[in-house]
Every structure is written in C-alpha cells, then in structure tokens.
Amino acid sequence: MPVDLTSIFYPTSPSKVADPDEGAALFAKQYSQSPNVTIIVDFADFIIESTPNKPEHVDSLIQAALLISCNEFLPTAYWTSDRPKSTFDETSEREEFLNGSFIAGRARSLGLMTSPETVGAVGEGLEFPGEVIYNSTGEIAEIRALGACLQLLGSASKLIELFGNRFAVEKVVKSLEGIRVSAADKPLVDLTIRHLQSAPLKDITSSEVVQSTRSAGWNGLWANTGALAA
C-alpha cells in the first residue's frame, strides 16, 4: 500500500511544509516501521508532482531529500540522471518541462544532483553554438529558452562554479538578449538578465524564484497557485 507522503512532509497543514530535518526524520521513522524501497521512489515523484501547486516548497523538499540520501540506514535516494521526470527531450510539454527545469536548477544549487541532460538543456535553450541538438523552432524553442531561464534563476552561480566559461555571464546575457519569446513570457527573460547582472551573483531560493517571477509580471506557470505559504 502506498505511503501517504503528504502526512510526512505536510504534517500539520496542507499549506505548511515540514522543515527539512522534521520531514527527513518522519520519513526515516516511516521506513523503519515499514521498510519498503518504493517509498524512496515515491518521494522523488512526490517532489515532482507537488511542484506545480506548491513551487515555493521545493527547496524544503530537496533539502529533506539530501538528508535522506545521507542517512546510512536508508536506501539510496532514487534521483537519477533522468529526474525530474521531464527528460528534456523533444516532446516535453510546456508545464512539465518548465517545472522540471525549475526543480533541476534548485536541485543543482542545493547539491542534490546535476546531470548532462539538465545542464545540456540550458545550453540548448540559450541556443549556444555546438549545443543545439533538437533544432527546435517556434513554441518549442521558446519553451526551451524559458526552461533555461528558470534553471539560471535557481542555479546560475552553481553552473558557473561547475562549468566556468561555458556559462559565463556575458555569454549567457548576450544569448538571452537575442532570444525571441512572446510578450507574455518576455518578463521572465528580462528578469533573468537582471538577475545575472546583479552583483554578487547568487542563486535564489525556490520561494524567491516564485516571488520574483510574479513580481516581474510573468504568469506563465504558477499564476494560480495562490499565496505563498511558509
């Protein structure tokens, strides 16, 4: 029988996520009472599936996943190179791809994981020479560019730390300035450029990503998720 992970990571209220230490402890307790590796798989899916409605809580869930992955009494957290479930391939839907990009950025920044697929999606979205695989056009190219923006807001400094000049600020900004998106999505691109030009450059939290995109007037993903919760 599947474990109700909501009761673990939202123990007091559906709008209040448990702090990472509490969530990891409740998770470990549940596993000790009913040791089944599927709970690890289910947790990875839980983060992905809860993000569209509660994007500001992503950091807390990722930090809990980090604690769980370090617990020697638990199986290795199931978070492989094709996670988030958006595989960053040619057929990804807009909402799935953008949520996957958002999670991928924060997971990289917080140290949970990074992968060639998620890093390559940034280069593809920015249309870097030599990194364009799918030759996307129109709406698909725009989705890829927006996904790159979400990854950059959440993990630009980590990308530079890991890959150096491949994602140098000047190079990324120049690419963003040349990318064409709809008027509705341009606020996200402009916000990303401003963020990259800020000094010192630092990755912003999941809550800050949600707040800043809303304040910038971008309603392309989380417009109807309600007020931010603690």
Side-chain angles (χ1 to χ4, degrees), residues 10 15 17 51 53-63 102-103 105-107 109-110 150 153-155 188 191 195 202-216 218 222 225-230:
Y10 292 87
S15 63
V17 68
T51 296
N53 294 320
K54 299 170 182 174
E56 62 275 12
H57 296 168
V58 160
D59 276 19
S60 293
L61 296 174
I62 289 174
Q63 288 165 341
F102 170 59
I103 296 170
R106 294 307 301 144
S109 180
L110 292 169
L150 290 171
L153 288 173
S155 67
L188 177 60
L191 171 66
H195 170 67
K202 63 176 184 178
D203 300 338
I204 58 177
T205 67
S206 58
S207 181
E208 289 169 339
V209 172
V210 177
Q211 288 176 318
S212 62
T213 53
R214 287 174 175 165
S215 296
W218 184 65
W222 304 304
T225 57
L228 290 175

Side-chain angles (χ1 to χ4, degrees), residues 116 118-135 144 163 165-167 171:
T118 58
V119 174
V122 180
E124 175 92 18
L126 295 171
E127 299 180 356
F128 281 170
E131 297 201 32
V132 175
I133 298 173
Y134 297 112
N135 295 306
R144 292 187 174 281
F163 301 101
N165 289 335
R166 180 179 176 186
F167 293 104
K171 178 182 177 183

Side-chain angles (χ1 to χ4, degrees), residues 35-200:
N36 189 326
V37 72
T38 60
I39 191 175
I40 305 292
V41 180
D42 290 345
F43 182 36
D45 290 337
F46 179 79
I47 295 175
I48 294 163
E49 291 163 5
S50 64
T51 296
N53 294 320
K54 299 170 182 174
E56 62 275 12
H57 296 168
V58 160
D59 276 19
S60 293
L61 296 174
I62 289 174
Q63 288 165 341
L66 271 168
L67 293 171
I68 290 165
S69 69
C70 293
N71 188 327
E72 62 184 31
F73 299 105
L74 293 173
T76 301
Y78 182 71
W79 204 279
T80 59
S81 65
D82 63 350
R83 295 282 175 167
K85 71 177 178 181
S86 168
T87 56
F88 300 93
D89 63 16
E90 200 167 9
T91 60
S92 295
E93 297 294 332
R94 176 182 169 114
E95 181 175 333
E96 179 185 47
F97 188 87
L98 296 186
N99 274 305
S101 298
F102 170 59
I103 296 170
R106 294 307 301 144
R108 177 184 302 114
S109 180
L110 292 169
L112 179 61
M113 70 152 286
T114 191
S115 71
E117 292 85 354
T118 58
V119 174
V122 180
E124 175 92 18
L126 295 171
E127 299 180 356
F128 281 170
E131 297 201 32
V132 175
I133 298 173
Y134 297 112
N135 295 306
S136 303
T137 59
E139 183 181 3
I140 300 300
E142 180 173 331
I143 291 170
R144 292 187 174 281
L146 299 176
C149 287
L150 290 171
Q151 287 207 56
L152 288 165
L153 288 173
S155 67
S157 69
K158 179 61 74 172
L159 278 168
I160 293 169
E161 176 188 329
L162 293 173
F163 301 101
N165 289 335
R166 180 179 176 186
F167 293 104
V169 168
E170 297 81 4
K171 178 182 177 183
V172 174
V173 168
K174 183 177 180 180
S175 291
L176 287 172
E177 289 175 339
I179 284 174
R180 295 183 180 181
V181 296
S182 68
D185 287 320
K186 195 170 188 303
L188 177 60
V189 177
D190 292 342
L191 171 66
T192 306
I193 291 173
R194 291 195 300 273
H195 170 67
L196 289 165
Q197 293 174 329
S198 63

